[in-house]
Amino acid sequence: MTTLRTGHIGLNVTDLDRSLAFYRDVLGFVLVAEGKEDGRRYAFLGDGENLLLTLWQQADQAYDGARAGLHHLAFQADSVERVRQYEAALKAYGADFAYEGVVAHREGAASGGIFFHDPDGIRLEISVPSGAEGAPAPVESAPTCGFF
């Protein structure tokens, strides 16, 4: 039996132009293809080689974390220094952060990152599997990514 891996993620957004600017200009995704037909707008985003994210303009209200569905979308960076570069770009953009600075996934963990929201309030994470040693854990009793 074949092991499944994540192919790409599709997100519903309220304003494709605003979300495209965020994911492309702030997070650095590459626009692969775009649909511009009224009522059927979308953007395929990737890393230059692979399709990673699709934005679909078909939501009429912001993300609601209280409903069943996507909890958060996590991206992995290659170093904690790169996470901090993303943090600076997101701060310059005016993104809403759940915590201040790089935080550990749990108390004493080497993994950690930043937790923030996209223009529609979708919860996002950029983290590293190691390099966050010594970073604070916002909550002792639960994983950091679980309740932001």
Side-chain angles (χ1 to χ4, degrees), residues 31-76:
L31 180 62
V32 175
E34 186 175 12
K36 298 183 179 186
E37 179 185 337
D38 282 343
R40 302 184 71 78
R41 294 192 63 213
Y42 65 89
F44 289 164
L45 302 171
D47 62 5
E49 295 180 22
N50 304 296
L51 174 64
L52 300 173
L53 186 65
T54 304
L55 305 176
W56 304 98
Q57 184 172 303
Q58 54 187 8
D60 59 6
Q61 55 187 300
Y63 173 80
D64 182 351
R67 294 184 180 207
L70 178 73
H71 181 275
H72 74 282
L73 177 55
F75 300 108
Q76 186 171 312

Tab-separated table of all heavy atoms in Angstrom, residues 31-76:
chain	number	residue	atom	x	y	z
A	31	LEU	N	3.542	32.461	-7.851
A	31	LEU	CA	2.283	32.293	-8.566
A	31	LEU	C	2.529	31.369	-9.754
A	31	LEU	O	3.339	31.667	-10.631
A	31	LEU	CB	1.739	33.641	-9.037
A	31	LEU	CG	0.422	33.599	-9.814
A	31	LEU	CD1	-0.705	33.039	-8.959
A	31	LEU	CD2	0.072	34.993	-10.317
A	32	VAL	N	1.819	30.226	-9.788
A	32	VAL	CA	1.974	29.228	-10.840
A	32	VAL	C	0.916	29.421	-11.916
A	32	VAL	O	1.209	29.357	-13.104
A	32	VAL	CB	1.899	27.803	-10.248
A	32	VAL	CG1	1.935	26.749	-11.334
A	32	VAL	CG2	3.011	27.586	-9.226
A	33	ALA	N	-0.314	29.662	-11.502
A	33	ALA	CA	-1.422	29.869	-12.431
A	33	ALA	C	-2.522	30.610	-11.695
A	33	ALA	O	-2.580	30.602	-10.462
A	33	ALA	CB	-1.940	28.543	-12.969
A	34	GLU	N	-3.385	31.240	-12.478
A	34	GLU	CA	-4.445	32.042	-11.877
A	34	GLU	C	-5.687	31.965	-12.752
A	34	GLU	O	-5.600	31.990	-13.975
A	34	GLU	CB	-3.956	33.489	-11.768
A	34	GLU	CG	-4.860	34.423	-11.047
A	34	GLU	CD	-4.247	35.809	-10.874
A	34	GLU	OE1	-3.210	36.111	-11.503
A	34	GLU	OE2	-4.811	36.594	-10.108
A	35	GLY	N	-6.850	31.856	-12.107
A	35	GLY	CA	-8.129	31.907	-12.803
A	35	GLY	C	-8.791	33.236	-12.515
A	35	GLY	O	-8.935	33.615	-11.349
A	36	LYS	N	-9.175	33.961	-13.545
A	36	LYS	CA	-9.699	35.315	-13.359
A	36	LYS	C	-11.171	35.465	-13.736
A	36	LYS	O	-11.699	36.559	-13.708
A	36	LYS	CB	-8.856	36.296	-14.174
A	36	LYS	CG	-7.413	36.336	-13.717
A	36	LYS	CD	-6.610	37.356	-14.491
A	36	LYS	CE	-5.180	37.380	-13.984
A	36	LYS	NZ	-4.399	38.441	-14.590
A	37	GLU	N	-11.826	34.373	-14.065
A	37	GLU	CA	-13.233	34.425	-14.461
A	37	GLU	C	-14.098	34.817	-13.261
A	37	GLU	O	-13.951	34.251	-12.170
A	37	GLU	CB	-13.653	33.046	-14.975
A	37	GLU	CG	-15.094	32.953	-15.402
A	37	GLU	CD	-15.490	31.538	-15.794
A	37	GLU	OE1	-14.605	30.737	-16.154
A	37	GLU	OE2	-16.683	31.247	-15.730
A	38	ASP	N	-14.983	35.786	-13.434
A	38	ASP	CA	-15.873	36.210	-12.350
A	38	ASP	C	-16.598	35.012	-11.756
A	38	ASP	O	-17.125	34.168	-12.483
A	38	ASP	CB	-16.898	37.227	-12.855
A	38	ASP	CG	-16.315	38.619	-13.018
A	38	ASP	OD1	-15.237	38.874	-12.439
A	38	ASP	OD2	-16.931	39.445	-13.715
A	39	GLY	N	-16.586	34.922	-10.445
A	39	GLY	CA	-17.243	33.833	-9.748
A	39	GLY	C	-16.435	32.552	-9.690
A	39	GLY	O	-16.862	31.585	-9.068
A	40	ARG	N	-15.262	32.522	-10.336
A	40	ARG	CA	-14.420	31.320	-10.351
A	40	ARG	C	-12.940	31.692	-10.256
A	40	ARG	O	-12.101	31.108	-10.916
A	40	ARG	CB	-14.697	30.503	-11.613
A	40	ARG	CG	-16.160	30.081	-11.735
A	40	ARG	CD	-16.422	29.207	-12.919
A	40	ARG	NE	-15.863	27.876	-12.792
A	40	ARG	CZ	-16.372	26.883	-12.071
A	40	ARG	NH1	-17.445	27.083	-11.360
A	40	ARG	NH2	-15.804	25.704	-12.059
A	41	ARG	N	-12.640	32.651	-9.395
A	41	ARG	CA	-11.250	33.106	-9.268
A	41	ARG	C	-10.462	32.186	-8.344
A	41	ARG	O	-10.955	31.738	-7.317
A	41	ARG	CB	-11.218	34.538	-8.734
A	41	ARG	CG	-11.818	35.521	-9.744
A	41	ARG	CD	-11.552	36.960	-9.390
A	41	ARG	NE	-10.115	37.186	-9.431
A	41	ARG	CZ	-9.493	38.035	-8.622
A	41	ARG	NH1	-10.148	38.738	-7.732
A	41	ARG	NH2	-8.185	38.188	-8.707
A	42	TYR	N	-9.209	31.950	-8.730
A	42	TYR	CA	-8.322	31.119	-7.925
A	42	TYR	C	-6.877	31.473	-8.251
A	42	TYR	O	-6.582	32.111	-9.260
A	42	TYR	CB	-8.561	29.623	-8.188
A	42	TYR	CG	-8.224	29.202	-9.598
A	42	TYR	CD1	-6.930	28.788	-9.935
A	42	TYR	CD2	-9.189	29.237	-10.605
A	42	TYR	CE1	-6.615	28.419	-11.233
A	42	TYR	CE2	-8.879	28.865	-11.900
A	42	TYR	CZ	-7.595	28.457	-12.212
A	42	TYR	OH	-7.282	28.099	-13.495
A	43	ALA	N	-5.968	31.021	-7.385
A	43	ALA	CA	-4.528	31.171	-7.622
A	43	ALA	C	-3.834	29.900	-7.159
A	43	ALA	O	-4.076	29.424	-6.041
A	43	ALA	CB	-3.975	32.378	-6.877
A	44	PHE	N	-3.004	29.331	-8.034
A	44	PHE	CA	-2.151	28.201	-7.679
A	44	PHE	C	-0.793	28.770	-7.293
A	44	PHE	O	-0.181	29.514	-8.059
A	44	PHE	CB	-1.964	27.253	-8.864
A	44	PHE	CG	-3.172	26.437	-9.244
A	44	PHE	CD1	-3.221	25.815	-10.468
A	44	PHE	CD2	-4.244	26.278	-8.384
A	44	PHE	CE1	-4.318	25.044	-10.837
A	44	PHE	CE2	-5.344	25.514	-8.729
A	44	PHE	CZ	-5.379	24.890	-9.964
A	45	LEU	N	-0.307	28.397	-6.117
A	45	LEU	CA	0.970	28.893	-5.611
A	45	LEU	C	1.909	27.722	-5.350
A	45	LEU	O	1.480	26.643	-4.949
A	45	LEU	CB	0.762	29.681	-4.315
A	45	LEU	CG	-0.185	30.878	-4.418
A	45	LEU	CD1	-0.479	31.429	-3.047
A	45	LEU	CD2	0.408	31.937	-5.308
A	46	GLY	N	3.196	27.959	-5.558
A	46	GLY	CA	4.176	26.910	-5.332
A	46	GLY	C	5.497	27.451	-4.867
A	46	GLY	O	5.628	28.612	-4.475
A	47	ASP	N	6.505	26.578	-4.980
A	47	ASP	CA	7.861	26.925	-4.562
A	47	ASP	C	8.793	27.078	-5.765
A	47	ASP	O	10.003	27.126	-5.611
A	47	ASP	CB	8.414	25.879	-3.592
A	47	ASP	CG	8.515	24.484	-4.205
A	47	ASP	OD1	8.248	24.313	-5.421
A	47	ASP	OD2	8.861	23.553	-3.457
A	48	GLY	N	8.241	27.137	-6.960
A	48	GLY	CA	9.035	27.202	-8.178
A	48	GLY	C	9.094	25.870	-8.892
A	48	GLY	O	9.365	25.808	-10.079
A	49	GLU	N	8.831	24.779	-8.150
A	49	GLU	CA	8.841	23.436	-8.736
A	49	GLU	C	7.539	22.681	-8.473
A	49	GLU	O	7.089	21.919	-9.310
A	49	GLU	CB	10.009	22.619	-8.173
A	49	GLU	CG	11.368	23.154	-8.557
A	49	GLU	CD	12.488	22.302	-7.976
A	49	GLU	OE1	12.248	21.124	-7.647
A	49	GLU	OE2	13.595	22.827	-7.849
A	50	ASN	N	6.957	22.883	-7.308
A	50	ASN	CA	5.795	22.104	-6.889
A	50	ASN	C	4.621	23.001	-6.530
A	50	ASN	O	4.812	24.061	-5.933
A	50	ASN	CB	6.135	21.266	-5.639
A	50	ASN	CG	7.319	20.369	-5.864
A	50	ASN	OD1	7.274	19.478	-6.692
A	50	ASN	ND2	8.403	20.627	-5.145
A	51	LEU	N	3.417	22.543	-6.847
A	51	LEU	CA	2.201	23.203	-6.389
A	51	LEU	C	2.046	22.897	-4.909
A	51	LEU	O	2.103	21.736	-4.501
A	51	LEU	CB	0.987	22.676	-7.170
A	51	LEU	CG	-0.373	23.162	-6.698
A	51	LEU	CD1	-0.502	24.672	-6.878
A	51	LEU	CD2	-1.483	22.433	-7.447
A	52	LEU	N	1.885	23.936	-4.090
A	52	LEU	CA	1.781	23.741	-2.648
A	52	LEU	C	0.469	24.238	-2.066
A	52	LEU	O	-0.035	23.692	-1.091
A	52	LEU	CB	2.938	24.467	-1.941
A	52	LEU	CG	4.340	24.026	-2.330
A	52	LEU	CD1	5.377	24.929	-1.706
A	52	LEU	CD2	4.563	22.578	-1.942
A	53	LEU	N	-0.073	25.300	-2.658
A	53	LEU	CA	-1.206	25.984	-2.053
A	53	LEU	C	-2.110	26.523	-3.143
A	53	LEU	O	-1.635	27.074	-4.138
A	53	LEU	CB	-0.673	27.138	-1.188
A	53	LEU	CG	-1.628	27.936	-0.343
A	53	LEU	CD1	-2.253	27.072	0.745
A	53	LEU	CD2	-0.873	29.093	0.311
A	54	THR	N	-3.412	26.351	-2.978
A	54	THR	CA	-4.380	26.941	-3.891
A	54	THR	C	-5.302	27.844	-3.090
A	54	THR	O	-5.799	27.445	-2.030
A	54	THR	CB	-5.216	25.851	-4.600
A	54	THR	OG1	-4.341	24.949	-5.265
A	54	THR	CG2	-6.148	26.470	-5.614
A	55	LEU	N	-5.500	29.031	-3.576
A	55	LEU	CA	-6.427	29.989	-2.970
A	55	LEU	C	-7.673	30.041	-3.838
A	55	LEU	O	-7.589	30.270	-5.045
A	55	LEU	CB	-5.783	31.376	-2.880
A	55	LEU	CG	-4.441	31.448	-2.159
A	55	LEU	CD1	-3.879	32.860	-2.239
A	55	LEU	CD2	-4.584	31.010	-0.708
A	56	TRP	N	-8.824	29.819	-3.235
A	56	TRP	CA	-10.098	29.839	-3.943
A	56	TRP	C	-10.922	30.999	-3.406
A	56	TRP	O	-11.206	31.039	-2.208
A	56	TRP	CB	-10.872	28.532	-3.710
A	56	TRP	CG	-10.108	27.301	-4.075
A	56	TRP	CD1	-9.419	26.487	-3.237
A	56	TRP	CD2	-9.967	26.755	-5.377
A	56	TRP	NE1	-8.851	25.457	-3.941
A	56	TRP	CE2	-9.175	25.598	-5.260
A	56	TRP	CE3	-10.430	27.130	-6.645
A	56	TRP	CZ2	-8.840	24.806	-6.355
A	56	TRP	CZ3	-10.092	26.338	-7.726
A	56	TRP	CH2	-9.311	25.194	-7.575
A	57	GLN	N	-11.317	31.927	-4.241
A	57	GLN	CA	-12.154	33.041	-3.780
A	57	GLN	C	-13.603	32.574	-3.802
A	57	GLN	O	-14.307	32.747	-4.794
A	57	GLN	CB	-11.991	34.292	-4.643
A	57	GLN	CG	-12.798	35.459	-4.076
A	57	GLN	CD	-12.513	36.753	-4.773
A	57	GLN	OE1	-11.368	37.184	-4.818
A	57	GLN	NE2	-13.547	37.385	-5.311
A	58	GLN	N	-14.014	31.961	-2.705
A	58	GLN	CA	-15.395	31.507	-2.609
A	58	GLN	C	-15.934	31.550	-1.185
A	58	GLN	O	-16.969	30.964	-0.891
A	58	GLN	CB	-15.565	30.122	-3.228
A	58	GLN	CG	-14.655	29.059	-2.717
A	58	GLN	CD	-14.791	27.761	-3.526
A	58	GLN	OE1	-15.460	27.706	-4.540
A	58	GLN	NE2	-14.156	26.717	-3.062
A	59	ALA	N	-15.254	32.261	-0.300
A	59	ALA	CA	-15.752	32.448	1.060
A	59	ALA	C	-16.385	33.833	1.161
A	59	ALA	O	-15.923	34.778	0.533
A	59	ALA	CB	-14.604	32.324	2.063
A	60	ASP	N	-17.423	33.925	1.958
A	60	ASP	CA	-18.053	35.241	2.138
A	60	ASP	C	-17.865	35.792	3.546
A	60	ASP	O	-18.365	36.849	3.875
A	60	ASP	CB	-19.533	35.212	1.755
A	60	ASP	CG	-20.334	34.217	2.570
A	60	ASP	OD1	-19.790	33.607	3.514
A	60	ASP	OD2	-21.524	34.038	2.247
A	61	GLN	N	-17.130	35.043	4.376
A	61	GLN	CA	-16.795	35.538	5.705
A	61	GLN	C	-15.469	34.944	6.154
A	61	GLN	O	-15.013	33.953	5.607
A	61	GLN	CB	-17.906	35.252	6.707
A	61	GLN	CG	-18.311	33.812	6.801
A	61	GLN	CD	-19.535	33.640	7.678
A	61	GLN	OE1	-19.488	33.997	8.846
A	61	GLN	NE2	-20.606	33.108	7.126
A	62	ALA	N	-14.855	35.559	7.157
A	62	ALA	CA	-13.534	35.159	7.643
A	62	ALA	C	-13.564	33.755	8.249
A	62	ALA	O	-14.619	33.218	8.582
A	62	ALA	CB	-13.035	36.162	8.676
A	63	TYR	N	-12.396	33.188	8.400
A	63	TYR	CA	-12.178	31.878	9.019
A	63	TYR	C	-12.818	31.842	10.399
A	63	TYR	O	-12.756	32.819	11.147
A	63	TYR	CB	-10.667	31.638	9.110
A	63	TYR	CG	-10.259	30.409	9.878
A	63	TYR	CD1	-10.302	29.159	9.279
A	63	TYR	CD2	-9.812	30.499	11.183
A	63	TYR	CE1	-9.906	28.026	9.970
A	63	TYR	CE2	-9.415	29.375	11.879
A	63	TYR	CZ	-9.471	28.141	11.268
A	63	TYR	OH	-9.079	27.032	11.955
A	64	ASP	N	-13.384	30.699	10.749
A	64	ASP	CA	-13.987	30.500	12.061
A	64	ASP	C	-13.375	29.255	12.686
A	64	ASP	O	-13.703	28.127	12.295
A	64	ASP	CB	-15.496	30.348	11.925
A	64	ASP	CG	-16.208	30.189	13.261
A	64	ASP	OD1	-15.540	30.033	14.307
A	64	ASP	OD2	-17.448	30.201	13.254
A	65	GLY	N	-12.476	29.467	13.623
A	65	GLY	CA	-11.790	28.354	14.277
A	65	GLY	C	-12.694	27.502	15.149
A	65	GLY	O	-12.288	26.451	15.609
A	66	ALA	N	-13.930	27.942	15.378
A	66	ALA	CA	-14.859	27.179	16.205
A	66	ALA	C	-15.643	26.143	15.402
A	66	ALA	O	-16.411	25.380	15.964
A	66	ALA	CB	-15.830	28.137	16.898
A	67	ARG	N	-15.453	26.134	14.088
A	67	ARG	CA	-16.172	25.177	13.248
A	67	ARG	C	-15.260	24.017	12.871
A	67	ARG	O	-14.047	24.162	12.815
A	67	ARG	CB	-16.658	25.857	11.970
A	67	ARG	CG	-17.697	26.897	12.251
A	67	ARG	CD	-18.229	27.468	10.983
A	67	ARG	NE	-19.221	28.466	11.323
A	67	ARG	CZ	-20.208	28.799	10.547
A	67	ARG	NH1	-20.331	28.241	9.369
A	67	ARG	NH2	-21.064	29.703	10.925
A	68	ALA	N	-15.853	22.894	12.571
A	68	ALA	CA	-15.081	21.740	12.113
A	68	ALA	C	-14.377	22.094	10.808
A	68	ALA	O	-14.893	22.853	9.998
A	68	ALA	CB	-15.994	20.534	11.910
A	69	GLY	N	-13.189	21.546	10.618
A	69	GLY	CA	-12.422	21.808	9.405
A	69	GLY	C	-10.981	22.095	9.749
A	69	GLY	O	-10.443	21.587	10.738
A	70	LEU	N	-10.365	22.916	8.960
A	70	LEU	CA	-8.954	23.245	9.142
A	70	LEU	C	-8.699	23.837	10.523
A	70	LEU	O	-9.376	24.789	10.933
A	70	LEU	CB	-8.518	24.255	8.067
A	70	LEU	CG	-7.080	24.731	8.156
A	70	LEU	CD1	-6.122	23.629	7.703
A	70	LEU	CD2	-6.876	25.976	7.301
A	71	HIS	N	-7.730	23.280	11.237
A	71	HIS	CA	-7.314	23.843	12.524
A	71	HIS	C	-6.255	24.911	12.302
A	71	HIS	O	-6.395	26.041	12.731
A	71	HIS	CB	-6.765	22.746	13.440
A	71	HIS	CG	-6.347	23.259	14.773
A	71	HIS	ND1	-5.110	23.803	15.006
A	71	HIS	CD2	-7.013	23.334	15.937
A	71	HIS	CE1	-5.028	24.183	16.270
A	71	HIS	NE2	-6.176	23.900	16.858
A	72	HIS	N	-5.171	24.540	11.640
A	72	HIS	CA	-4.141	25.504	11.240
A	72	HIS	C	-3.301	24.871	10.142
A	72	HIS	O	-3.330	23.666	9.936
A	72	HIS	CB	-3.283	25.953	12.425
A	72	HIS	CG	-2.296	24.965	12.930
A	72	HIS	ND1	-2.622	23.901	13.740
A	72	HIS	CD2	-0.948	24.875	12.755
A	72	HIS	CE1	-1.538	23.206	14.049
A	72	HIS	NE2	-0.499	23.770	13.451
A	73	LEU	N	-2.584	25.697	9.453
A	73	LEU	CA	-1.699	25.260	8.379
A	73	LEU	C	-0.280	25.570	8.818
A	73	LEU	O	0.026	26.707	9.179
A	73	LEU	CB	-2.049	26.000	7.088
A	73	LEU	CG	-1.205	25.734	5.855
A	73	LEU	CD1	-1.156	24.260	5.518
A	73	LEU	CD2	-1.749	26.536	4.680
A	74	ALA	N	0.576	24.557	8.821
A	74	ALA	CA	1.950	24.718	9.289
A	74	ALA	C	2.931	24.585	8.134
A	74	ALA	O	2.828	23.654	7.334
A	74	ALA	CB	2.264	23.674	10.360
A	75	PHE	N	3.864	25.503	8.067
A	75	PHE	CA	4.958	25.460	7.104
A	75	PHE	C	6.245	25.220	7.880
A	75	PHE	O	6.402	25.692	8.996
A	75	PHE	CB	5.073	26.788	6.346
A	75	PHE	CG	3.832	27.153	5.577
A	75	PHE	CD1	3.023	28.192	6.008
A	75	PHE	CD2	3.475	26.470	4.429
A	75	PHE	CE1	1.879	28.545	5.309
A	75	PHE	CE2	2.338	26.811	3.721
A	75	PHE	CZ	1.534	27.848	4.160
A	76	GLN	N	7.184	24.505	7.280
A	76	GLN	CA	8.460	24.236	7.930
A	76	GLN	C	9.565	25.006	7.236
A	76	GLN	O	9.705	24.944	6.013
A	76	GLN	CB	8.760	22.740	7.897
A	76	GLN	CG	10.014	22.374	8.684
A	76	GLN	CD	10.172	20.878	8.817
A	76	GLN	OE1	9.234	20.178	9.171
A	76	GLN	NE2	11.364	20.386	8.522
